[in-house]
Amino acid sequence: MTSIEQFLSLIHTEVGLELAVEDIDRGFDQVAGWDSLHLLTLITALEETTGQQISMPDVLQATKLADIYGLAAIS
Amino acid sequence: MTGSVTTAPASADAELLELHRRGRLAADYPRVRALVHDLTGLELARAGQLLSRVSADEIAAAHPGTTAVTVAITGHSTVTGLVAPLTAELARYGWPLRPYVADFDGYVFELSDPGSGLYRAGAALTVCLLDPTIVFDEVPTPWQPDDVESVLAGKLALLERLVAAFERQSAGTLVLNTMPLPRLYTAQIVDYRSRARLGRIWRAANIALLELAERHPALTVVDLDPLVAEGVAARDPRLAVYTKSQLSPDLLAAYARELGHLVRATRGRTKKCLVLDLDNTVWGGIVGDDGIDGIEVAETYRGEAFRAIQKAAKQLGHQGVLIAAVSKNEPETVRRVLAEHPEMTLREQDFVRVIANWGPKHDNIAALAQDLNLGLDSFVFVDDSPYERALVGRELPDVTVVPLRTDPATYLPCILADGWFDARALTDEDRQRSAMYRGDLARREIRANFSSIDDYLADLAIVVELAPVAPGQYERLSQTTLRTNQFNLTTERLQPADIQTRAEDPAHLVLAVRSRDRFGDNGLVGAVLARREDDRLVIDNMLLSCRVFSRGIEESCLSALLGHAVTTGMNEVTASFRPTAKNGKVRAFLPDNGFTVAAESPEATVYRHDLAVIADVPPYIDLHASFERVAP
């Protein structure tokens, strides 16, 4: 995962949500259309894209998309 | 490079994504149906994610003809994972999903409380997802197989009470599933004897679940074992632990496919005819080149693959599926293979018709549809040639074309993958169907020899029986409402429980129509549903199998019903016609038989008959009508 834009594009194609860069720092409850179920879809997609397993408890504890981007970028 | 070059999407998956990017999934829903139809695995899963973000209302607004399916989902653990795959499966048939997802572990409350959100959702299908934690969350630590047995006994009793409550509250179908037993649990019992006992206890509970469906007509239990046996993992450890989604996404996807088949069956969209190519589909080799002795139908490596297909076709044929052959061949060669080849499993009498000629297959299938009086959407076409498949798919988009892989050993799993012929229940008529249709084709040929249609009908010696439905016929009558699309005034689908409720209500008339003629017994071919409202008789629906209409049977039944209305002191009879894509044939039935328009709207025309003049029963029909219920 190299850029925020790629991350947002992945969310758009896999989860179906079109988000702006500023959305990733908002709390999930502030992101229109977000549902906790989307985390699972996103994890699967991120793992496929990066070829790395991402810590699911860390993702589930994330409060905003930026946290997940951080987890995916490190792994 | 210039900026305006548009390249065609490389695949259905890519095109779907493009529609999603452009926000066109609702607007282009008919195209979506074609795109998702043959997707599988990850691509279908992704399609489900994207489509589950589009509401059924949005799709209905863009396409007023679409009919959404309301499905309520509940269970002990997290059940939201079923929504996306079910959305994708139903989209394959052009039906938007309107899901109702109950709260976590809400199944006991939702199913027992008559005022629950689940019942208010009015779902056609209610899925209560059962998983192993429904039991293992309640056994003590440490546990023994006996603990599992006693928790299971309690759960089975609870489930039966919930099923009974459901039957009181809902007219829909409840779906339960057998519970897989993951190794995670068996491996925690270290001695083989106790482990075997756990396996036995678990299976006994699953058997009891399957038996529940025998006592409760509104319940269907889907056995997940065959899905797991295909190599689908039952559990994903991370999702199970972190999100309490106890059944894996792959298993939920496979289950959603089965649920799609069930929705198809309850909506009366079961396919009726399997059309098979012959060369390299039913037998190995090309009979025109290889000779009758040169084709492979048994004993050889490839021969066994084709024998399996032949046996399965025969198996389906004995359960009411019409088997037809459409082959580019010399008719005499094909006739000799079917009659003389010693190793063939399929013979001429297994087919409703064998069409061997050099004409285009789509023309042959269209002619067959006309002769059998079936819609093209009742046909499933199997051919090893991608060319023929694509051509039939293009020329007859309503025909289901089975995508085959290249190895003949994989043909049969491909043919069976989508449960095209799955039905809620089978009746005696189903088992006789192929013979009945062959009789129909014989009648058609005789008909060509008569100068007038009345002479022909008189020669048929048609006997019609119109009588209150007997309890043993509820299933068959329900099926008539589910399967009949053409001669069907309102296309109201009724489950066996609905038939029973009406049959037991003294205000209702639930009449079964049976017919026979000199070619044989047609069995139960139609239904008349009516009810008394003061001095008016309201015809709720009239239906007749497409095999027997236009022979005076429908006029006879209507004449008898109107006569009955007069003798029971009724002043008028009303009936409605609700147009669908398929019932145009009966649009004129009521006005042609003395009814006048009483009210008109785009959804329905209400007709009224003043009972002043009632048309006679046609002279060539021997009608036996009775309206009195036989006391049980």
Side-chain angles (χ1 to χ4, degrees):
Chain A
M1 190 60 49
T2 52
S3 73
I4 297 269
E5 284 71 25
Q6 280 178 315
F7 181 62
L8 290 175
S9 165
L10 188 80
I11 292 173
H12 188 202
T13 55
E14 299 293 335
V15 178
L17 267 188
E18 190 159 20
L19 301 178
V21 176
E22 52 270 27
D23 283 324
I24 80 160
D25 284 316
R26 295 182 212 264
F28 285 125
D29 54 343
Q30 300 295 310
V31 178
W34 185 262
D35 183 301
S36 59
L37 180 71
H38 300 326
L39 287 173
L40 305 177
T41 313
L42 189 55
I43 291 167
T44 312
L46 283 170
E47 289 183 343
E48 258 176 47
T49 310
T50 62
Q52 309 277 337
Q53 199 167 73
I54 296 169
S55 162
M56 200 176 276
D58 288 346
V59 171
L60 293 168
Q61 281 167 28
T63 57
K64 53 187 189 294
L65 281 164
D67 300 344
I68 300 173
Y69 176 66
L71 289 166
I74 305 162
S75 61
Chain B
M1 195 190 283
T2 54
S4 63
V5 178
T6 322
T7 49
S11 65
D13 183 45
E15 189 179 339
L16 199 70
L17 199 55
E18 186 56 29
L19 288 178
H20 162 68
R21 286 208 180 94
R22 289 167 39 219
R24 299 282 306 170
L25 288 175
D28 291 336
Y29 196 71
R31 178 68 187 149
V32 167
R33 173 190 184 174
L35 291 173
V36 296
H37 193 273
D38 294 331
L39 289 184
T40 53
L42 281 174
E43 292 181 342
L44 189 64
R46 176 156 81 176
Q49 289 295 341
L50 300 182
L51 287 168
S52 62
R53 304 205 53 83
V54 184
S55 82
D57 293 335
E58 210 179 321
I59 297 165
H63 304 280
T66 55
T67 45
V69 184
T70 303
V71 179
I73 305 170
T74 184
H76 170 64
S77 56
T78 304
V79 297
T80 36
L82 192 56
V83 174
L86 192 55
T87 304
E89 289 297 338
L90 295 178
R92 297 177 62 227
Y93 312 121
W95 297 327
L97 172 67
R98 186 173 285 131
Y100 169 83
V101 180
D103 288 340
F104 182 80
D105 198 16
Y107 75 107
V108 178
F109 167 76
E110 293 263 15
L111 287 170
S112 47
D113 177 11
S116 70
L118 183 141
Y119 288 123
R120 283 201 308 277
L125 214 64
T126 298
V127 181
C128 178
L129 208 54
L130 303 178
D131 69 78
T133 62
I134 200 173
V135 177
F136 286 102
D137 280 355
E138 290 190 17
V139 297
T141 305
W143 55 272
Q144 287 300 317
D146 283 350
D147 300 314
V148 172
E149 187 170 35
S150 71
V151 175
L152 275 169
K155 293 298 171 195
L156 284 166
L158 170 68
L159 284 169
E160 180 141 29
R161 286 198 301 277
L162 294 176
V163 172
F166 178 87
E167 285 182 319
R168 285 193 297 275
Q169 297 306 327
S170 171
T173 297
L174 177 65
V175 190
L176 300 176
N177 57 278
T178 62
M179 295 179 288
L181 176 60
R183 185 174 183 280
L184 182 78
Y185 300 108
T186 57
Q188 294 185 45
I189 297 290
V190 296
D191 77 286
Y192 284 99
R193 188 175 294 273
S194 303
R195 193 182 286 172
R197 180 167 154 67
L198 174 64
R200 179 173 69 66
I201 288 166
W202 197 264
R203 282 170 187 78
N206 277 333
I207 289 168
L209 268 175
L210 291 163
E211 282 171 349
L212 263 186
E214 291 174 14
R215 294 194 293 278
H216 297 278
L219 174 68
T220 296
V221 181
V222 175
D223 191 356
L224 296 189
D225 272 8
L227 307 183
V228 174
E230 292 289 318
V232 176
R235 184 176 182 275
D236 176 310
R238 290 195 302 164
L239 292 180
V241 171
Y242 298 135
T243 73
K244 311 243 182 259
S245 301
Q246 299 296 343
L247 300 179
S248 76
D250 287 348
L251 184 57
L252 290 177
Y255 187 25
R257 175 146 295 200
E258 301 295 323
L259 292 171
H261 304 163
L262 183 59
V263 172
R264 252 191 4 234
T266 54
R267 290 201 146 190
R269 302 305 291 272
T270 295
K271 306 289 175 188
K272 296 169 184 168
C273 183
L274 175 64
V275 178
L276 298 168
D277 164 52
L278 294 176
D279 285 338
N280 282 321
T281 299
V282 161
W283 54 67
I286 296 170
V287 69
D289 295 340
D290 302 330
I292 292 174
D293 299 330
I295 59 172
E296 296 179 83
V297 291
E299 306 300 335
T300 63
Y301 287 122
R302 283 161 47 82
E304 290 298 348
F306 293 103
R307 170 145 70 184
I309 291 168
Q310 293 199 18
K311 289 175 90 163
K314 198 167 172 120
Q315 169 80 8
L316 292 173
H318 276 255
Q319 297 168 86
V321 178
L322 303 174
I323 311 293
V326 172
S327 165
K328 287 186 173 163
N329 256 314
E330 289 302 328
E332 178 56 20
T333 315
V334 168
R335 194 198 61 73
R336 283 188 53 209
V337 173
L338 293 175
E340 297 167 16
H341 197 295
E343 292 175 322
M344 283 285 290
T345 301
L346 287 174
R347 297 295 179 189
E348 178 121 34
Q349 67 271 17
D350 294 312
F351 293 90
V352 67
R353 181 176 278 186
V354 176
I355 301 170
N357 58 34
W358 299 97
K361 296 200 174 187
H362 49 90
D363 287 348
N364 284 321
I365 295 171
L368 179 66
Q370 197 161 26
D371 286 353
L372 293 173
N373 220 347
L374 291 174
L376 283 163
D377 61 357
S378 295
F379 286 78
V380 176
F381 176 63
V382 179
D383 197 314
D384 67 296
S385 154
Y387 166 82
E388 297 288 0
R389 294 202 298 268
L391 191 57
V392 168
R394 197 187 71 189
E395 295 297 318
L396 305 174
D398 287 344
V399 170
T400 298
V401 178
V402 176
L404 294 184
R405 296 198 292 275
T406 49
D407 192 311
T410 63
Y411 289 179
L412 185 54
C414 289
I415 294 168
L416 298 175
D418 238 311
W420 293 116
F421 307 103
D422 288 2
R424 286 291 300 276
L426 282 192
T427 62
D428 290 344
E429 272 82 2
D430 289 320
R431 296 182 185 95
Q432 303 297 323
R433 184 169 294 117
S434 195
M436 290 194 229
Y437 272 90
R438 274 201 304 278
D440 292 345
L441 292 176
R443 285 181 195 94
R444 198 171 285 271
E445 279 153 24
I446 299 272
R447 183 161 165 172
N449 299 326
F450 281 88
S451 55
S452 86
I453 187 83
D454 281 8
D455 288 350
Y456 165 70
L457 291 171
D459 188 68
L460 274 183
I462 303 169
V463 179
V464 177
E465 283 170 22
L466 179 69
V469 63
Q473 296 172 318
Y474 293 163
E475 191 77 57
R476 170 62 191 152
L477 206 73
S478 156
Q479 208 186 57
T480 303
T481 74
L482 296 178
R483 293 180 69 108
T484 306
N485 296 312
Q486 299 183 82
F487 197 107
N488 191 333
L489 287 175
T490 63
T491 316
E492 183 187 11
R493 312 295 192 189
L494 297 174
Q495 306 301 331
D498 303 320
I499 299 283
Q500 180 173 1
T501 306
R502 292 190 192 188
E504 290 170 356
D505 183 339
H508 278 262
L509 276 176
V510 183
L511 306 172
V513 182
R514 298 182 59 93
S515 77
R516 60 179 188 270
D517 61 32
R518 71 180 178 92
F519 289 100
D521 193 344
N522 292 303
L524 197 160
V525 291
V528 178
L529 301 148
R531 70 193 132 87
R532 284 180 279 273
E533 273 184 3
D534 302 324
D535 56 359
R536 176 198 308 162
L537 186 69
V538 180
I539 300 177
D540 289 317
N541 202 4
M542 264 187 82
L543 342 89
L544 198 64
S545 160
C546 53
R547 292 189 297 113
V548 298
F549 59 59
S550 302
R551 292 181 199 169
I553 296 175
E554 56 272 39
E555 286 83 2
S556 308
C557 294
L558 185 60
S559 173
L561 184 71
L562 295 176
H564 174 71
V566 171
T567 53
T568 52
M570 300 287 133
N571 280 330
E572 60 172 354
V573 176
T574 62
S576 302
F577 171 70
R578 291 184 170 274
T580 67
K582 307 190 107 190
N583 70 354
K585 282 189 190 200
V586 284
R587 180 181 295 280
F589 175 64
L590 294 168
D592 282 353
N593 285 280
F595 282 77
T596 53
V597 176
E600 220 166 353
S601 74
E603 291 80 40
T605 309
V606 180
Y607 290 93
R608 177 180 175 277
H609 196 294
D610 61 11
L611 298 175
V613 180
I614 298 172
D616 289 336
V617 173
Y620 44 79
I621 299 273
D622 180 9
L623 175 73
H624 301 261
S626 71
F627 297 89
E628 293 311 312
R629 250 175 289 220
V630 181

